[in-house]
């Protein structure tokens, strides 16, 4: 909602946007004071920590040829000494645009398609 107010604050004043949003939602949503407090605050400790972890993830992802999924990345981060859960690892990987190798759409076999391998004799 902060992004919405930032988009339209040049056309309408913050007080008008907040009042309009509060009129259309029961129980109120955001006040002009709350908006200004949010803008004056710095990033949270978790956001700062997430940014540092994402940098480590990008390094690990690059070092391992981009094949680590969230489970393997979780174990690699634990080996690096970062205490992090699997769900948070998955969330940060999505946020950073990192994904594992994935599965192949085709099946790779030793046999040619349609039967057993034919050999001499």
């Amino acid at each position: 909602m902060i992004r919405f107010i930032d988009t339209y604050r040049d056309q309408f004043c913050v007080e008008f946007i907040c009042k309009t949003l509060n009129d259309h939602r029961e129980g109120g949503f955001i006040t002009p004071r709350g908006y200004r407090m949010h803008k004056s605050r710095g990033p949270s400790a978790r956001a700062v920590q997430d940014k540092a972890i994402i940098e480590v993830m990008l390094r690990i992802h690059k070092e391992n040829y981009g094949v680590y999924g969230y489970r393997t990345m979780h174990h690699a981060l634990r080996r690096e000494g970062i205490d992090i859960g699997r769900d948070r690892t998955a969330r940060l990987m999505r946020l950073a645009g990192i994904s594992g190798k994935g599965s192949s759409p085709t099946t790779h076999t030793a046999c040619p398609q349609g039967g057993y391998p034919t050999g001499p004799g």
Side-chain angles (χ1 to χ4, degrees):
M1 198 46 55
I2 301 297
R3 201 172 341 150
F4 177 81
I5 295 172
D6 287 341
T7 303
Y8 293 103
R9 70 181 290 179
D10 294 335
Q11 297 172 0
F12 308 102
C13 67
V14 173
E15 288 78 13
F16 176 75
I17 295 172
C18 292
K19 182 179 181 327
T20 304
L21 291 173
N22 286 334
D23 289 346
H24 293 287
R25 290 186 66 136
E26 292 184 22
F29 183 67
I30 191 169
T31 63
R33 181 176 180 212
Y35 170 76
R36 289 193 182 92
M37 285 177 63
H38 176 80
K39 295 303 280 185
S40 66
R41 242 182 268 141
S44 66
R46 182 178 172 141
V48 171
Q49 189 180 34
D50 284 352
K51 191 172 183 176
I53 292 172
I54 286 174
E55 290 174 7
V56 174
M57 280 182 172
L58 290 170
R59 179 181 53 81
I60 291 172
H61 188 70
K62 185 178 178 183
E63 287 173 357
N64 294 288
Y65 308 105
V67 297
Y68 279 6
Y70 76 93
R71 288 183 186 99
T72 313
M73 182 64 76
H74 172 253
H75 291 297
L77 289 171
R78 298 289 291 222
R79 282 193 302 268
E80 293 272 331
I82 299 172
D83 188 24
I84 187 171
R86 249 191 343 261
D87 292 337
R88 187 175 182 192
T89 303
R91 178 181 63 83
L92 292 177
M93 285 181 71
R94 275 192 308 272
L95 187 67
I98 301 172
S99 62
K101 178 183 170 284
S103 61
S104 175
T106 59
T107 305
H108 302 286
T109 65
C111 301
Q113 194 168 10
Y116 294 99
T118 56

